[in-house]
Amino acid sequence: MKLFLALLVSLVFAYGSGVPQPRQLGIKATDIASEETLAKLVEALKKFSQDGDTSGIFNLEMNSMTDELLGDLRQILIRQGMDPLDLEDETLQLLGIVGSMKLTNGWLQDLSTILRYEDIIVSYNSANKTITFLLPLSFRDLLFTYDYVTRVLLFSVSGDVNGKIENVHMDLTLTYDAINEFILTDINMKDSGKVTVKFTGNSLVDWCTNAMTAVVTTVLHPIIIKILQNNVESIGNEIVTEINKYINNYTDTL
């Protein structure tokens, strides 16, 4: 509910804050997991299609498989220029006073801190014969920075804003059945994290710093989280597509 309200506020007070289109990685399944791991996954899925409930097998394997995938993904994000990730310019209306803050040259760093924060949960649905994987993912620290120019009537100040978002948690849900293969069915933002900000610049005064801090934490924070969520969704769908291709190619050779 808090995240929804913050996003609603951002629509009211932010201008030019259209969330940019997420980047594509251009990867193959073998870029994110070893042949051994992928073959093990395919064999377990084949057993599922033959025998039904194999959630016990997956519960034993999914933590190590996911950790391997995330380890390779961290390196891919850096190589592909997604860590740091460019952020679009924003113009935000200050909260509580009449004025605006223009943000430029923004970037978001440490997407490559993505990790699994709890065990993968695997469940079997006997009614529709699907198996569901819930992947609890986290980003330890996300750093963002912008150049800013703030204007309040005849008063103007410029400098840098440096922020940190700690402990973002999101759950990804994947569903598998023998016909449709893997599908990314849900991304649930469990915790949008705690944000802290620091401003540099000349002529900073408390009342202006307070107003800028308020708009960054209330308006900019959910915008950045939405950008993060969109990129995670895009990357997740790309990985799922490539794993499905691998499964099809693997089974065609049997």
Side-chain angles (χ1 to χ4, degrees), residues 129-158:
K129 296 183 180 180
T130 60
I131 194 163
T132 299
F133 305 85
L134 189 147
L135 284 62
L137 303 179
S138 176
F139 297 85
R140 284 194 301 267
D141 296 313
L142 295 170
L143 306 178
F144 64 89
T145 187
Y146 285 95
D147 299 332
Y148 77 86
V149 176
T150 296
R151 293 185 173 86
V152 181
L153 298 177
L154 299 179
F155 176 81
S156 178
V157 61
S158 62

PDB file of all heavy atoms in Angstrom, residues 129-158:
ATOM      1  N   LYS A 129      -1.404 -29.683 -13.067  1.00  0.00           N
ATOM      2  CA  LYS A 129      -0.136 -30.352 -13.344  1.00  0.00           C
ATOM      3  C   LYS A 129       0.961 -29.363 -13.720  1.00  0.00           C
ATOM      4  O   LYS A 129       1.637 -29.481 -14.746  1.00  0.00           O
ATOM      5  CB  LYS A 129      -0.314 -31.399 -14.439  1.00  0.00           C
ATOM      6  CG  LYS A 129      -1.247 -32.531 -14.039  1.00  0.00           C
ATOM      7  CD  LYS A 129      -1.352 -33.581 -15.123  1.00  0.00           C
ATOM      8  CE  LYS A 129      -2.292 -34.711 -14.677  1.00  0.00           C
ATOM      9  NZ  LYS A 129      -2.432 -35.765 -15.714  1.00  0.00           N
ATOM     10  N   THR A 130       1.128 -28.372 -12.844  1.00  0.00           N
ATOM     11  CA  THR A 130       2.203 -27.398 -13.007  1.00  0.00           C
ATOM     12  C   THR A 130       3.065 -27.388 -11.762  1.00  0.00           C
ATOM     13  O   THR A 130       2.613 -27.764 -10.671  1.00  0.00           O
ATOM     14  CB  THR A 130       1.651 -25.982 -13.248  1.00  0.00           C
ATOM     15  OG1 THR A 130       0.842 -25.599 -12.129  1.00  0.00           O
ATOM     16  CG2 THR A 130       0.835 -25.913 -14.527  1.00  0.00           C
ATOM     17  N   ILE A 131       4.274 -26.941 -11.929  1.00  0.00           N
ATOM     18  CA  ILE A 131       5.183 -26.785 -10.805  1.00  0.00           C
ATOM     19  C   ILE A 131       5.600 -25.316 -10.745  1.00  0.00           C
ATOM     20  O   ILE A 131       5.876 -24.694 -11.770  1.00  0.00           O
ATOM     21  CB  ILE A 131       6.394 -27.727 -10.940  1.00  0.00           C
ATOM     22  CG1 ILE A 131       7.159 -27.815  -9.624  1.00  0.00           C
ATOM     23  CG2 ILE A 131       7.296 -27.367 -12.096  1.00  0.00           C
ATOM     24  CD1 ILE A 131       8.090 -29.008  -9.537  1.00  0.00           C
ATOM     25  N   THR A 132       5.563 -24.759  -9.549  1.00  0.00           N
ATOM     26  CA  THR A 132       5.825 -23.339  -9.356  1.00  0.00           C
ATOM     27  C   THR A 132       7.094 -23.145  -8.536  1.00  0.00           C
ATOM     28  O   THR A 132       7.309 -23.835  -7.537  1.00  0.00           O
ATOM     29  CB  THR A 132       4.637 -22.656  -8.645  1.00  0.00           C
ATOM     30  OG1 THR A 132       3.472 -22.782  -9.464  1.00  0.00           O
ATOM     31  CG2 THR A 132       4.913 -21.180  -8.413  1.00  0.00           C
ATOM     32  N   PHE A 133       7.909 -22.194  -8.974  1.00  0.00           N
ATOM     33  CA  PHE A 133       9.158 -21.859  -8.295  1.00  0.00           C
ATOM     34  C   PHE A 133       9.073 -20.409  -7.816  1.00  0.00           C
ATOM     35  O   PHE A 133       8.894 -19.502  -8.625  1.00  0.00           O
ATOM     36  CB  PHE A 133      10.350 -22.007  -9.238  1.00  0.00           C
ATOM     37  CG  PHE A 133      10.468 -23.360  -9.871  1.00  0.00           C
ATOM     38  CD1 PHE A 133       9.766 -23.659 -11.036  1.00  0.00           C
ATOM     39  CD2 PHE A 133      11.274 -24.338  -9.326  1.00  0.00           C
ATOM     40  CE1 PHE A 133       9.866 -24.906 -11.639  1.00  0.00           C
ATOM     41  CE2 PHE A 133      11.383 -25.588  -9.917  1.00  0.00           C
ATOM     42  CZ  PHE A 133      10.681 -25.874 -11.069  1.00  0.00           C
ATOM     43  N   LEU A 134       9.201 -20.206  -6.524  1.00  0.00           N
ATOM     44  CA  LEU A 134       9.239 -18.847  -5.977  1.00  0.00           C
ATOM     45  C   LEU A 134      10.683 -18.520  -5.616  1.00  0.00           C
ATOM     46  O   LEU A 134      11.279 -19.172  -4.763  1.00  0.00           O
ATOM     47  CB  LEU A 134       8.337 -18.711  -4.761  1.00  0.00           C
ATOM     48  CG  LEU A 134       8.129 -17.282  -4.248  1.00  0.00           C
ATOM     49  CD1 LEU A 134       6.730 -17.115  -3.655  1.00  0.00           C
ATOM     50  CD2 LEU A 134       9.162 -16.889  -3.199  1.00  0.00           C
ATOM     51  N   LEU A 135      11.226 -17.496  -6.293  1.00  0.00           N
ATOM     52  CA  LEU A 135      12.627 -17.118  -6.115  1.00  0.00           C
ATOM     53  C   LEU A 135      12.699 -15.811  -5.328  1.00  0.00           C
ATOM     54  O   LEU A 135      12.350 -14.743  -5.847  1.00  0.00           O
ATOM     55  CB  LEU A 135      13.317 -16.917  -7.473  1.00  0.00           C
ATOM     56  CG  LEU A 135      13.699 -18.151  -8.291  1.00  0.00           C
ATOM     57  CD1 LEU A 135      12.490 -18.970  -8.691  1.00  0.00           C
ATOM     58  CD2 LEU A 135      14.498 -17.734  -9.528  1.00  0.00           C
ATOM     59  N   PRO A 136      13.127 -15.854  -4.063  1.00  0.00           N
ATOM     60  CA  PRO A 136      13.263 -14.638  -3.267  1.00  0.00           C
ATOM     61  C   PRO A 136      14.614 -13.958  -3.542  1.00  0.00           C
ATOM     62  O   PRO A 136      15.665 -14.471  -3.171  1.00  0.00           O
ATOM     63  CB  PRO A 136      13.177 -15.149  -1.821  1.00  0.00           C
ATOM     64  CG  PRO A 136      13.620 -16.574  -1.899  1.00  0.00           C
ATOM     65  CD  PRO A 136      13.415 -17.058  -3.293  1.00  0.00           C
ATOM     66  N   LEU A 137      14.570 -12.818  -4.228  1.00  0.00           N
ATOM     67  CA  LEU A 137      15.784 -12.130  -4.651  1.00  0.00           C
ATOM     68  C   LEU A 137      15.931 -10.798  -3.930  1.00  0.00           C
ATOM     69  O   LEU A 137      14.939 -10.171  -3.541  1.00  0.00           O
ATOM     70  CB  LEU A 137      15.767 -11.901  -6.162  1.00  0.00           C
ATOM     71  CG  LEU A 137      15.610 -13.149  -7.038  1.00  0.00           C
ATOM     72  CD1 LEU A 137      15.591 -12.754  -8.504  1.00  0.00           C
ATOM     73  CD2 LEU A 137      16.703 -14.160  -6.755  1.00  0.00           C
ATOM     74  N   SER A 138      17.179 -10.367  -3.779  1.00  0.00           N
ATOM     75  CA  SER A 138      17.448  -9.143  -3.040  1.00  0.00           C
ATOM     76  C   SER A 138      18.614  -8.394  -3.678  1.00  0.00           C
ATOM     77  O   SER A 138      19.466  -8.990  -4.342  1.00  0.00           O
ATOM     78  CB  SER A 138      17.775  -9.471  -1.576  1.00  0.00           C
ATOM     79  OG  SER A 138      18.141  -8.313  -0.851  1.00  0.00           O
ATOM     80  N   PHE A 139      18.613  -7.076  -3.491  1.00  0.00           N
ATOM     81  CA  PHE A 139      19.755  -6.238  -3.820  1.00  0.00           C
ATOM     82  C   PHE A 139      20.256  -5.636  -2.514  1.00  0.00           C
ATOM     83  O   PHE A 139      19.512  -4.926  -1.825  1.00  0.00           O
ATOM     84  CB  PHE A 139      19.372  -5.126  -4.799  1.00  0.00           C
ATOM     85  CG  PHE A 139      18.910  -5.624  -6.135  1.00  0.00           C
ATOM     86  CD1 PHE A 139      17.585  -5.984  -6.333  1.00  0.00           C
ATOM     87  CD2 PHE A 139      19.795  -5.752  -7.189  1.00  0.00           C
ATOM     88  CE1 PHE A 139      17.151  -6.454  -7.566  1.00  0.00           C
ATOM     89  CE2 PHE A 139      19.369  -6.225  -8.431  1.00  0.00           C
ATOM     90  CZ  PHE A 139      18.042  -6.575  -8.611  1.00  0.00           C
ATOM     91  N   ARG A 140      21.505  -5.900  -2.169  1.00  0.00           N
ATOM     92  CA  ARG A 140      22.022  -5.433  -0.875  1.00  0.00           C
ATOM     93  C   ARG A 140      22.015  -3.909  -0.796  1.00  0.00           C
ATOM     94  O   ARG A 140      21.442  -3.319   0.109  1.00  0.00           O
ATOM     95  CB  ARG A 140      23.440  -5.970  -0.649  1.00  0.00           C
ATOM     96  CG  ARG A 140      23.511  -7.432  -0.267  1.00  0.00           C
ATOM     97  CD  ARG A 140      24.888  -7.775   0.271  1.00  0.00           C
ATOM     98  NE  ARG A 140      25.922  -7.498  -0.709  1.00  0.00           N
ATOM     99  CZ  ARG A 140      26.389  -8.405  -1.575  1.00  0.00           C
ATOM    100  NH1 ARG A 140      25.917  -9.631  -1.547  1.00  0.00           N
ATOM    101  NH2 ARG A 140      27.323  -8.089  -2.446  1.00  0.00           N
ATOM    102  N   ASP A 141      22.714  -3.293  -1.741  1.00  0.00           N
ATOM    103  CA  ASP A 141      22.815  -1.835  -1.772  1.00  0.00           C
ATOM    104  C   ASP A 141      22.712  -1.370  -3.218  1.00  0.00           C
ATOM    105  O   ASP A 141      23.460  -1.847  -4.074  1.00  0.00           O
ATOM    106  CB  ASP A 141      24.150  -1.346  -1.198  1.00  0.00           C
ATOM    107  CG  ASP A 141      24.321  -1.664   0.271  1.00  0.00           C
ATOM    108  OD1 ASP A 141      23.380  -1.411   1.029  1.00  0.00           O
ATOM    109  OD2 ASP A 141      25.396  -2.161   0.644  1.00  0.00           O
ATOM    110  N   LEU A 142      21.800  -0.449  -3.478  1.00  0.00           N
ATOM    111  CA  LEU A 142      21.716   0.203  -4.772  1.00  0.00           C
ATOM    112  C   LEU A 142      22.103   1.662  -4.586  1.00  0.00           C
ATOM    113  O   LEU A 142      21.526   2.365  -3.747  1.00  0.00           O
ATOM    114  CB  LEU A 142      20.299   0.102  -5.339  1.00  0.00           C
ATOM    115  CG  LEU A 142      19.809  -1.308  -5.685  1.00  0.00           C
ATOM    116  CD1 LEU A 142      18.315  -1.278  -6.000  1.00  0.00           C
ATOM    117  CD2 LEU A 142      20.591  -1.889  -6.855  1.00  0.00           C
ATOM    118  N   LEU A 143      23.087   2.105  -5.328  1.00  0.00           N
ATOM    119  CA  LEU A 143      23.553   3.486  -5.238  1.00  0.00           C
ATOM    120  C   LEU A 143      23.065   4.260  -6.454  1.00  0.00           C
ATOM    121  O   LEU A 143      23.100   3.754  -7.574  1.00  0.00           O
ATOM    122  CB  LEU A 143      25.083   3.534  -5.176  1.00  0.00           C
ATOM    123  CG  LEU A 143      25.753   2.691  -4.093  1.00  0.00           C
ATOM    124  CD1 LEU A 143      27.274   2.812  -4.188  1.00  0.00           C
ATOM    125  CD2 LEU A 143      25.272   3.097  -2.705  1.00  0.00           C
ATOM    126  N   PHE A 144      22.594   5.494  -6.218  1.00  0.00           N
ATOM    127  CA  PHE A 144      22.214   6.336  -7.354  1.00  0.00           C
ATOM    128  C   PHE A 144      22.773   7.731  -7.150  1.00  0.00           C
ATOM    129  O   PHE A 144      23.019   8.179  -6.013  1.00  0.00           O
ATOM    130  CB  PHE A 144      20.691   6.382  -7.544  1.00  0.00           C
ATOM    131  CG  PHE A 144      19.923   7.007  -6.409  1.00  0.00           C
ATOM    132  CD1 PHE A 144      19.660   8.379  -6.381  1.00  0.00           C
ATOM    133  CD2 PHE A 144      19.440   6.222  -5.371  1.00  0.00           C
ATOM    134  CE1 PHE A 144      18.939   8.946  -5.349  1.00  0.00           C
ATOM    135  CE2 PHE A 144      18.717   6.788  -4.326  1.00  0.00           C
ATOM    136  CZ  PHE A 144      18.463   8.156  -4.317  1.00  0.00           C
ATOM    137  N   THR A 145      23.006   8.414  -8.256  1.00  0.00           N
ATOM    138  CA  THR A 145      23.527   9.772  -8.194  1.00  0.00           C
ATOM    139  C   THR A 145      22.980  10.593  -9.357  1.00  0.00           C
ATOM    140  O   THR A 145      22.689  10.049 -10.429  1.00  0.00           O
ATOM    141  CB  THR A 145      25.069   9.794  -8.214  1.00  0.00           C
ATOM    142  OG1 THR A 145      25.535  11.128  -7.980  1.00  0.00           O
ATOM    143  CG2 THR A 145      25.607   9.298  -9.544  1.00  0.00           C
ATOM    144  N   TYR A 146      22.801  11.874  -9.124  1.00  0.00           N
ATOM    145  CA  TYR A 146      22.388  12.834 -10.148  1.00  0.00           C
ATOM    146  C   TYR A 146      23.124  14.158  -9.914  1.00  0.00           C
ATOM    147  O   TYR A 146      23.529  14.469  -8.782  1.00  0.00           O
ATOM    148  CB  TYR A 146      20.891  13.163 -10.033  1.00  0.00           C
ATOM    149  CG  TYR A 146      19.912  12.122 -10.510  1.00  0.00           C
ATOM    150  CD1 TYR A 146      19.353  11.215  -9.623  1.00  0.00           C
ATOM    151  CD2 TYR A 146      19.485  12.090 -11.841  1.00  0.00           C
ATOM    152  CE1 TYR A 146      18.409  10.282 -10.042  1.00  0.00           C
ATOM    153  CE2 TYR A 146      18.544  11.164 -12.269  1.00  0.00           C
ATOM    154  CZ  TYR A 146      18.016  10.268 -11.368  1.00  0.00           C
ATOM    155  OH  TYR A 146      17.086   9.355 -11.787  1.00  0.00           O
ATOM    156  N   ASP A 147      23.252  14.937 -10.982  1.00  0.00           N
ATOM    157  CA  ASP A 147      23.485  16.371 -10.841  1.00  0.00           C
ATOM    158  C   ASP A 147      22.125  17.021 -10.637  1.00  0.00           C
ATOM    159  O   ASP A 147      21.139  16.586 -11.235  1.00  0.00           O
ATOM    160  CB  ASP A 147      24.136  16.960 -12.095  1.00  0.00           C
ATOM    161  CG  ASP A 147      25.489  16.343 -12.403  1.00  0.00           C
ATOM    162  OD1 ASP A 147      26.165  15.889 -11.463  1.00  0.00           O
ATOM    163  OD2 ASP A 147      25.862  16.313 -13.592  1.00  0.00           O
ATOM    164  N   TYR A 148      22.063  18.039  -9.795  1.00  0.00           N
ATOM    165  CA  TYR A 148      20.768  18.689  -9.566  1.00  0.00           C
ATOM    166  C   TYR A 148      20.906  20.208  -9.636  1.00  0.00           C
ATOM    167  O   TYR A 148      21.964  20.777  -9.353  1.00  0.00           O
ATOM    168  CB  TYR A 148      20.179  18.281  -8.210  1.00  0.00           C
ATOM    169  CG  TYR A 148      20.814  18.967  -7.021  1.00  0.00           C
ATOM    170  CD1 TYR A 148      20.370  20.220  -6.572  1.00  0.00           C
ATOM    171  CD2 TYR A 148      21.878  18.375  -6.344  1.00  0.00           C
ATOM    172  CE1 TYR A 148      20.974  20.851  -5.502  1.00  0.00           C
ATOM    173  CE2 TYR A 148      22.475  18.989  -5.271  1.00  0.00           C
ATOM    174  CZ  TYR A 148      22.023  20.236  -4.852  1.00  0.00           C
ATOM    175  OH  TYR A 148      22.630  20.877  -3.785  1.00  0.00           O
ATOM    176  N   VAL A 149      19.823  20.833 -10.039  1.00  0.00           N
ATOM    177  CA  VAL A 149      19.654  22.291  -9.930  1.00  0.00           C
ATOM    178  C   VAL A 149      18.284  22.512  -9.306  1.00  0.00           C
ATOM    179  O   VAL A 149      17.269  22.088  -9.860  1.00  0.00           O
ATOM    180  CB  VAL A 149      19.731  23.000 -11.294  1.00  0.00           C
ATOM    181  CG1 VAL A 149      19.458  24.496 -11.121  1.00  0.00           C
ATOM    182  CG2 VAL A 149      21.077  22.765 -11.960  1.00  0.00           C
ATOM    183  N   THR A 150      18.265  23.166  -8.155  1.00  0.00           N
ATOM    184  CA  THR A 150      17.011  23.436  -7.445  1.00  0.00           C
ATOM    185  C   THR A 150      16.730  24.934  -7.458  1.00  0.00           C
ATOM    186  O   THR A 150      17.622  25.740  -7.156  1.00  0.00           O
ATOM    187  CB  THR A 150      17.084  22.937  -5.989  1.00  0.00           C
ATOM    188  OG1 THR A 150      17.230  21.511  -6.009  1.00  0.00           O
ATOM    189  CG2 THR A 150      15.832  23.305  -5.220  1.00  0.00           C
ATOM    190  N   ARG A 151      15.494  25.271  -7.821  1.00  0.00           N
ATOM    191  CA  ARG A 151      15.095  26.676  -7.863  1.00  0.00           C
ATOM    192  C   ARG A 151      13.841  26.873  -7.028  1.00  0.00           C
ATOM    193  O   ARG A 151      12.854  26.155  -7.192  1.00  0.00           O
ATOM    194  CB  ARG A 151      14.837  27.125  -9.306  1.00  0.00           C
ATOM    195  CG  ARG A 151      16.095  27.151 -10.167  1.00  0.00           C
ATOM    196  CD  ARG A 151      15.815  27.718 -11.560  1.00  0.00           C
ATOM    197  NE  ARG A 151      17.036  27.889 -12.332  1.00  0.00           N
ATOM    198  CZ  ARG A 151      17.609  26.938 -13.072  1.00  0.00           C
ATOM    199  NH1 ARG A 151      17.012  25.749 -13.144  1.00  0.00           N
ATOM    200  NH2 ARG A 151      18.722  27.178 -13.733  1.00  0.00           N
ATOM    201  N   VAL A 152      13.920  27.857  -6.124  1.00  0.00           N
ATOM    202  CA  VAL A 152      12.774  28.260  -5.311  1.00  0.00           C
ATOM    203  C   VAL A 152      12.688  29.783  -5.390  1.00  0.00           C
ATOM    204  O   VAL A 152      13.529  30.487  -4.808  1.00  0.00           O
ATOM    205  CB  VAL A 152      12.920  27.814  -3.843  1.00  0.00           C
ATOM    206  CG1 VAL A 152      11.692  28.227  -3.040  1.00  0.00           C
ATOM    207  CG2 VAL A 152      13.150  26.308  -3.754  1.00  0.00           C
ATOM    208  N   LEU A 153      11.723  30.286  -6.173  1.00  0.00           N
ATOM    209  CA  LEU A 153      11.601  31.722  -6.428  1.00  0.00           C
ATOM    210  C   LEU A 153      12.926  32.258  -6.966  1.00  0.00           C
ATOM    211  O   LEU A 153      13.410  31.789  -7.979  1.00  0.00           O
ATOM    212  CB  LEU A 153      11.158  32.442  -5.155  1.00  0.00           C
ATOM    213  CG  LEU A 153       9.780  32.019  -4.602  1.00  0.00           C
ATOM    214  CD1 LEU A 153       9.460  32.731  -3.306  1.00  0.00           C
ATOM    215  CD2 LEU A 153       8.691  32.251  -5.641  1.00  0.00           C
ATOM    216  N   LEU A 154      13.590  33.206  -6.278  1.00  0.00           N
ATOM    217  CA  LEU A 154      14.851  33.768  -6.756  1.00  0.00           C
ATOM    218  C   LEU A 154      16.064  33.003  -6.237  1.00  0.00           C
ATOM    219  O   LEU A 154      17.205  33.317  -6.583  1.00  0.00           O
ATOM    220  CB  LEU A 154      14.965  35.237  -6.325  1.00  0.00           C
ATOM    221  CG  LEU A 154      13.882  36.165  -6.865  1.00  0.00           C
ATOM    222  CD1 LEU A 154      14.082  37.588  -6.354  1.00  0.00           C
ATOM    223  CD2 LEU A 154      13.851  36.152  -8.400  1.00  0.00           C
ATOM    224  N   PHE A 155      15.802  31.984  -5.424  1.00  0.00           N
ATOM    225  CA  PHE A 155      16.874  31.200  -4.817  1.00  0.00           C
ATOM    226  C   PHE A 155      17.206  30.014  -5.718  1.00  0.00           C
ATOM    227  O   PHE A 155      16.317  29.343  -6.237  1.00  0.00           O
ATOM    228  CB  PHE A 155      16.431  30.707  -3.438  1.00  0.00           C
ATOM    229  CG  PHE A 155      17.425  29.806  -2.753  1.00  0.00           C
ATOM    230  CD1 PHE A 155      18.523  30.334  -2.085  1.00  0.00           C
ATOM    231  CD2 PHE A 155      17.263  28.425  -2.780  1.00  0.00           C
ATOM    232  CE1 PHE A 155      19.434  29.510  -1.457  1.00  0.00           C
ATOM    233  CE2 PHE A 155      18.167  27.593  -2.157  1.00  0.00           C
ATOM    234  CZ  PHE A 155      19.262  28.138  -1.488  1.00  0.00           C
ATOM    235  N   SER A 156      18.515  29.761  -5.941  1.00  0.00           N
ATOM    236  CA  SER A 156      18.939  28.642  -6.771  1.00  0.00           C
ATOM    237  C   SER A 156      20.169  27.992  -6.163  1.00  0.00           C
ATOM    238  O   SER A 156      21.050  28.687  -5.630  1.00  0.00           O
ATOM    239  CB  SER A 156      19.251  29.118  -8.196  1.00  0.00           C
ATOM    240  OG  SER A 156      19.698  28.051  -8.998  1.00  0.00           O
ATOM    241  N   VAL A 157      20.222  26.684  -6.218  1.00  0.00           N
ATOM    242  CA  VAL A 157      21.373  25.944  -5.702  1.00  0.00           C
ATOM    243  C   VAL A 157      21.598  24.728  -6.601  1.00  0.00           C
ATOM    244  O   VAL A 157      20.641  24.162  -7.144  1.00  0.00           O
ATOM    245  CB  VAL A 157      21.152  25.506  -4.235  1.00  0.00           C
ATOM    246  CG1 VAL A 157      19.957  24.582  -4.108  1.00  0.00           C
ATOM    247  CG2 VAL A 157      22.400  24.862  -3.654  1.00  0.00           C
ATOM    248  N   SER A 158      22.855  24.344  -6.783  1.00  0.00           N
ATOM    249  CA  SER A 158      23.171  23.196  -7.629  1.00  0.00           C
ATOM    250  C   SER A 158      24.265  22.359  -6.983  1.00  0.00           C
ATOM    251  O   SER A 158      24.989  22.835  -6.096  1.00  0.00           O
ATOM    252  CB  SER A 158      23.610  23.655  -9.028  1.00  0.00           C
ATOM    253  OG  SER A 158      24.789  24.435  -8.941  1.00  0.00           O
TER     254      SER A 158
END
